Amino acid sequence: MTTVRNSGAESAVESVKPRPHSPGDRDSSPGTAPSFAVIPGVQVQRALQGHEKRIVELVEATYRLHGEGRTVSPASYFLRFPDRPASRIIALPASLGGQSGVDGIKWISSFPANVESGFPRASAVLILNDHDTGYPFACLESSIISATRTAASAALAADRLSRGRSAGRPTRVGFFGTGLIARYIHTFLAGTGWSFDEIGVHDVAPESAAGFRCYLEQSGTAGRISVHEDPEELIRFSDLLVFATVAAKPHVTDPAWFAHNPLVLHVSLRDLAPEILLASANVVDDVEHCLTADTSAHLAEQRTGGRAFLDGTLDDVIAGRLTVPADRPVVFSPFGLGVLDLAVGAWVYDEVARSGGLHVVDGFFHELHRYG
């Protein structure tokens, strides 16, 4: 038995009516046992593939809900290990409002040493909870959902923050860090209509840069591709910069490298020295979230003793409350909101349920009678 839930985008756009329930939907009448489904990565990827424009719209709508105060997004909890200081597991609880709300939590690990063994550093699951009863109704493989919402947020920011700038849309993009997140961001840029005359690539691991170049060539969407061993060269080359590294502290320190006023998607959050942010216009997804956990923005706040260097949020830009300047670099620093994972995860659940492919675990909830 399944439930088809409305997507976050439809929740945010009040003119869109809820989808009607299909005959196979879970009966939510009193006394009906709740169901629990498991959605593996192959189904997640199948549901999301080719829907880049739709997911960017979903992420934009979720940002609007968040800006309207119709979400709950507590601080992330970082589980750290004294014997493994480079590794961590993060809990992101959240609640998404709207016409068809959903609650839940993402549990995502980051173990950089995994890369040396040939598989991604991050792994994750997402639990979706029913908004009315609190019962979890699905567990989804979430590294793909996390990468997708990150890439959709980056593509949305690239579009919104480049509008109205005198230089127009960037034509040269540089990828600083060439892992899975960089690949997803390129996919979402290409899938939402971006094209580039030139693409620059830099990674501290030459084999990673070579692998990303091969991916770009095979994607059929790339212009001229160049690999830059010198990070300064890549930065000065690029109108649009994508930082997608695993850096734990700032390693790019010279504001002069950004004198050409590029648009910077600072997705990995800790690459840029505070001096660079203080010389730039700064847009974040959420102020309180971004000024934590020793991000570059957090370090800038500590350096200055205030938050005046922050110009506003992406929702401010979307709503027209903020116009980004053309005479400074513009840096977008997204901490990554759990409500985005919920919105994308609920959308995936809808798609899998609609296709009839849900793997429901029979009898997952056993003690359902109060007195036995």
Side-chain angles (χ1 to χ4, degrees):
M1 294 180 291
T2 66
T3 300
V4 178
R5 307 181 62 85
N6 290 332
S7 72
E10 290 172 340
S11 298
V13 183
E14 298 294 349
S15 61
V16 179
K17 296 181 179 179
R19 287 196 299 269
H21 292 283
S22 67
D25 289 348
R26 174 169 61 86
D27 182 0
S28 58
S29 59
T32 302
S35 63
F36 185 79
V38 176
I39 302 179
V42 63
Q43 288 185 305
V44 173
Q45 186 172 51
R46 190 181 300 135
L48 291 169
Q49 195 164 20
H51 293 289
E52 290 83 12
K53 289 183 180 179
R54 181 69 182 84
I55 300 303
V56 169
E57 291 171 357
L58 176 65
V59 165
E60 179 174 353
T62 305
Y63 275 135
R64 295 207 309 273
L65 279 176
H66 186 67
E68 294 167 3
R70 298 167 67 190
T71 67
V72 180
S73 189
S76 304
Y77 180 82
F78 286 71
L79 176 62
R80 300 186 184 277
F81 313 97
D83 60 329
R84 293 159 286 164
S87 301
R88 62 186 187 270
I89 307 179
I90 310 170
L92 285 84
S95 176
L96 181 62
Q99 288 178 313
S100 181
V102 62
D103 308 323
I105 187 168
K106 179 173 71 172
W107 182 240
I108 182 167
S109 68
S110 176
F111 281 53
N114 288 350
V115 176
E116 299 173 9
S117 302
F119 56 97
R121 66 178 177 85
S123 58
V125 294
L126 176 68
I127 300 294
L128 300 179
N129 293 74
D130 183 80
H131 199 62
D132 296 323
T133 67
Y135 270 83
F137 63 86
C139 175
L140 299 85
E141 195 287 328
S142 197
S143 66
I144 297 169
I145 290 172
S146 187
T148 295
R149 61 86 152 147
T150 299
S153 171
L156 173 64
D159 175 41
R160 289 293 187 164
L161 296 175
S162 62
R163 293 185 185 183
R165 299 192 87 198
S166 56
R169 266 201 171 193
T171 59
R172 298 192 309 274
V173 61
F175 287 90
F176 201 121
T178 56
L180 180 142
I181 296 298
R183 173 163 59 86
Y184 268 74
I185 290 174
H186 173 265
T187 297
F188 266 78
L189 289 170
T192 53
W194 286 78
S195 61
F196 299 99
D197 297 334
E198 298 180 79
I199 298 180
V201 175
H202 170 78
D203 199 289
V204 294
E207 64 274 14
S208 295
F212 190 65
R213 177 174 189 162
C214 182
Y215 153 74
L216 290 172
E217 291 171 343
Q218 293 175 350
S219 72
T221 60
R224 191 174 74 87
I225 305 166
S226 56
V227 175
H228 300 257
E229 295 183 4
D230 182 358
E232 178 183 359
E233 182 182 80
L234 176 81
I235 291 170
R236 291 186 181 275
F237 156 88
S238 306
D239 304 319
L240 173 65
L241 268 162
V242 178
F243 281 91
T245 74
V246 294
K249 59 183 180 180
H251 55 95
V252 177
T253 60
D254 191 345
W257 294 5
F258 300 81
H260 57 301
N261 300 328
L263 172 57
V264 182
L265 304 179
H266 190 204
V267 175
S268 38
L269 291 173
R270 297 171 180 84
D271 302 273
L272 304 180
E275 292 82 3
I276 294 171
L277 268 63
L278 297 177
S280 305
N282 290 281
V283 179
V284 297
D285 55 357
D286 181 278
V287 173
E288 298 301 329
H289 281 259
C290 203
L291 296 179
T292 59
D294 291 331
T295 64
S296 296
H298 190 201
L299 298 179
E301 180 191 32
Q302 294 172 344
R303 175 76 58 86
T304 63
R307 303 177 174 186
F309 67 94
L310 292 180
D311 292 73
T313 67
L314 184 57
D315 180 60
D316 291 330
V317 176
I318 293 169
R321 295 185 295 268
L322 172 64
T323 301
V324 296
D327 60 350
R328 283 180 289 162
V330 175
V331 179
F332 176 57
S333 299
F335 194 82
L337 301 178
V339 290
L340 300 182
D341 296 281
L342 291 186
V344 175
W347 191 86
V348 169
Y349 180 93
D350 281 355
E351 293 300 302
V352 176
R354 207 175 0 251
S355 72
L358 276 184
H359 300 295
V360 176
V361 181
D362 292 330
F364 184 83
F365 299 105
H366 178 61
E367 285 286 356
L368 291 172
H369 300 283
R370 189 173 182 184
Y371 300 109

